[in-house]
Amino acid sequence: MLRKLSLIVVCALVSVGARGQTQALPSLATLSGDLLALVAAGDQRSVRVIARGDVDIIRRLAARDGLRVGRVLDGFVVLEGPLVDIAALRSVAGVEAISRDARVASFMSVSAKAMAADQARRASSGLLGIGGYPAVTGRGVGVAVVDSGIASHPALDRKVVAAVSFVSGDPSTADAYGHGTHIAGIIAGNATSVTSLYQGGIAPGAHLVNVRVLGADGSGYTSDVIAGIQWAVANRARYGIRILNLSLGHPTVEPCLTDPLCLAVERAVGEGVVVVASAGNSGKNAAGEPVLASVTTPGVAPSAITVGALNTWGTVSRHDDTVATYSS
């Protein structure tokens, strides 16, 4: 009993500081799952990460340890350096989380009739004025297409009201990959004579904002996407942006509570912007077997409207529609 009491007293003395105040052990900043795996494997490679926390403290730490500072965002700093030096930042007060600055990739419509968009675009007078509704075309609604850029095309003539690029090292806003233009056409394209199969976008009255974050290979850094999101939110009043479209993503490796891309989406929604994200195209593996829990980030963000892929089987009727086997 005396020995047990002595141990309690010693523990109490160790936990009390010079001024009699309890000293809490420093809490470690969280690491994303992919970084944890590298640390556990003893990997010594140089990594590019997104550090969340006090931006000024993180920048001072980077200068002290010789880490390269990339993009500085609202609440985030992009760092690059040896994994061992990056991981050492976990114990410093002011650093809350460290995530891999993962490469995101683009994800590629179903017909307007299958979604009843053609019905929404037609006004109805109702019966003797009862039950009538106006045509819904998206007029006055700005959609920020956060993607690979938007190319010049007859279907998108006078649709794009602003264009910016956040692709690291590439200021061009042109679409060198094609995915962003494809998405823009689905959203708000004008009907053209280019092909009889294309009858215009889902919301032909909407206007577009080209926020380029993916390069010529259709991929880009997570931090570039976050920069694009933050710019769109900051400029939402100027360009009438009410919707953000994110048809892109990377594998989910950490909870949304710490994932930088999820946090950027949640903040955007908190500012009143609707965020639409793709679920991803990883619903089955190479052997054709279903892959569960394969929704990508930012599709896993709680406040995002996450969209999967649909197989209409070539019919307008919905009774035979199924989720595409590749859809996450």
Side-chain angles (χ1 to χ4, degrees):
M1 180 68 182
L2 181 60
R3 184 178 180 184
K4 189 178 294 184
L5 180 61
S6 299
L7 181 60
I8 294 173
V9 172
V10 170
C11 290
L13 289 173
V14 169
S15 66
V16 176
R19 297 185 181 181
Q21 297 178 342
T22 300
Q23 299 290 310
L25 292 174
S27 58
L28 292 177
T30 61
L31 281 184
S32 59
D34 46 0
L35 287 178
L36 281 173
L38 292 178
V39 170
D43 201 302
Q44 298 299 314
R45 75 180 70 181
S46 179
V47 293
R48 178 176 169 129
V49 302
I50 302 173
R52 177 166 61 88
D54 188 309
V55 169
D56 292 333
I57 290 177
I58 295 171
R59 295 180 75 175
R60 287 199 297 270
L61 291 171
R64 183 197 70 184
D65 298 342
L67 301 173
R68 190 178 75 82
V69 175
R71 195 184 298 280
V72 178
L73 301 162
D74 183 9
F76 305 102
V77 180
V78 178
L79 302 175
E80 192 167 355
L83 177 60
V84 63
D85 294 335
I86 295 289
L89 300 180
R90 298 182 68 193
S91 60
V92 181
V95 182
E96 299 174 13
I98 303 173
S99 305
R100 192 83 177 266
D101 192 6
R103 300 287 292 189
V104 297
S106 51
F107 299 134
M108 284 220 155
S109 62
V110 295
S111 71
K113 289 184 177 180
M115 289 182 281
D118 59 329
Q119 298 175 40
R121 290 198 295 263
R122 290 197 305 266
S124 172
S125 59
L127 179 61
L128 301 177
I130 301 174
Y133 54 84
V136 179
T137 66
R139 185 172 302 281
V141 176
V143 182
V145 181
V146 184
D147 213 289
S148 63
I150 300 177
S152 176
H153 191 280
L156 298 171
D157 187 34
R158 295 189 296 277
K159 286 290 182 179
V160 181
V161 299
V164 292
S165 174
F166 291 97
V167 178
S168 294
D170 185 356
S172 172
T173 59
D175 187 0
Y177 184 66
H179 186 268
T181 306
H182 172 85
I183 295 299
I186 292 175
I187 294 171
N190 297 307
T192 68
S193 58
V194 175
T195 170
S196 60
L197 297 177
Y198 180 70
Q199 300 298 317
I202 299 302
H207 60 273
L208 304 171
V209 177
N210 174 11
V211 183
R212 183 171 181 252
V213 298
L214 305 179
D217 64 351
S219 71
Y221 285 111
T222 295
S223 55
D224 295 345
V225 180
I226 294 173
I229 294 172
Q230 291 185 350
W231 179 90
V233 172
N235 290 275
R236 63 190 185 282
R238 182 177 182 182
Y239 298 114
I241 298 172
R242 293 171 58 187
I243 299 171
L244 279 173
N245 189 85
L246 299 166
S247 295
L248 47 75
H250 65 68
T252 300
V253 294
E254 61 181 308
C256 274
L257 287 174
T258 58
D259 187 283
L261 195 47
C262 275
L263 292 173
V265 166
E266 292 299 304
R267 179 177 291 187
V269 175
E271 294 289 343
V273 180
V274 175
V275 177
V276 180
S278 56
N281 297 332
S282 305
K284 65 179 179 180
N285 59 23
E289 301 164 330
V291 179
L292 301 180
S294 60
V295 175
T296 53
T297 300
V300 293
S303 299
I305 298 175
T306 303
V307 182
L310 184 72
N311 190 340
T312 66
W313 299 102
T315 70
V316 172
S317 172
R318 297 184 185 181
H319 80 278
D320 60 348
D321 293 353
T322 58
V323 175
T325 56
Y326 60 82
S327 177
S328 296

